[in-house]
Amino acid sequence: HLQQARIPSGSLEKVSVPDSGPEMAESQVAVAPVVTSKLSVKAPEFYPSGYNHNFADSSFEDEYDGYLTLAEYVQDFLNHLAEQPGCFETEIEQFAETVNGWVTVDETLQELVELIYQQATSVPNFSYMGARLCNYLSHHLTISSQSGSFRQLLLQ
């Protein structure tokens, strides 16, 4: 058992501690050896249950050339974003490039706006992702339509 010793307040003495200034502190810093780990971010433990490894590895943007219509491509991408919102940053640029190549007339621009609006208003929890997508596309779509820009059509 530890017992606490009581020291009368009048008998306290100063204890001298060796100076540990900056030059002393520098020499005491130990450099930790570099540890190489065998852990991988692709380890199965790091994926949520039900995660489709093949879909992520094949990369969504490489698959667009198999689609027959803009609607199929956009709907598949919107579903992909709804399931995996974390991929927005990595895949939005390629999506915008593809859509820029596809949307060349007023009708396809109107169709794109309607598809995104429909998804953002009907799918639970997609409104924020839809807003991010609309914001990105309003700045990155190059088509200048007679009926208005992406943003103007969306606001209508």
Side-chain angles (χ1 to χ4, degrees), residues 71-92:
E72 289 174 346
Y73 174 65
V74 171
Q75 192 58 57
D76 208 22
F77 184 73
L78 294 175
N79 293 337
H80 174 60
L81 281 182
E83 291 171 6
Q84 299 178 30
C87 70
F88 181 88
E89 298 294 330
T90 57
E91 297 179 6
I92 188 62

Side-chain angles (χ1 to χ4, degrees), residues 16-137:
S16 68
V17 177
D19 182 28
S20 59
E23 62 281 337
M24 187 78 169
E26 262 183 55
S27 64
Q28 292 177 349
V29 174
V31 177
V34 176
V35 178
T36 55
S37 174
K38 294 181 181 175
L39 293 176
S40 168
V41 294
K42 296 189 182 251
E45 303 82 77
F46 295 123
Y47 289 102
S49 62
Y51 184 78
N52 185 348
H53 297 282
N54 296 332
F55 192 75
D57 292 342
S58 65
S59 184
F60 178 83
E61 64 265 11
D62 294 337
E63 299 176 4
Y64 72 88
D65 53 4
Y67 293 101
L68 299 176
T69 67
L70 172 70
E72 289 174 346
Y73 174 65
V74 171
Q75 192 58 57
D76 208 22
F77 184 73
L78 294 175
N79 293 337
H80 174 60
L81 281 182
E83 291 171 6
Q84 299 178 30
C87 70
F88 181 88
E89 298 294 330
T90 57
E91 297 179 6
I92 188 62
E93 192 175 327
Q94 179 65 40
F95 175 75
E97 275 182 37
T98 303
V99 169
N100 266 324
W102 215 320
V103 177
T104 55
V105 294
D106 290 3
E107 293 80 23
T108 53
L109 181 60
Q110 183 66 41
E111 182 182 13
L112 174 66
V113 169
E114 288 174 9
L115 285 166
I116 294 172
Y117 180 79
Q118 181 64 31
Q119 179 94 358
T121 56
S122 64
V123 176
N125 300 325
F126 193 78
S127 56
Y128 174 71
M129 185 62 66
R132 286 183 73 192
L133 181 61
C134 288
N135 184 48
Y136 189 91
L137 292 177

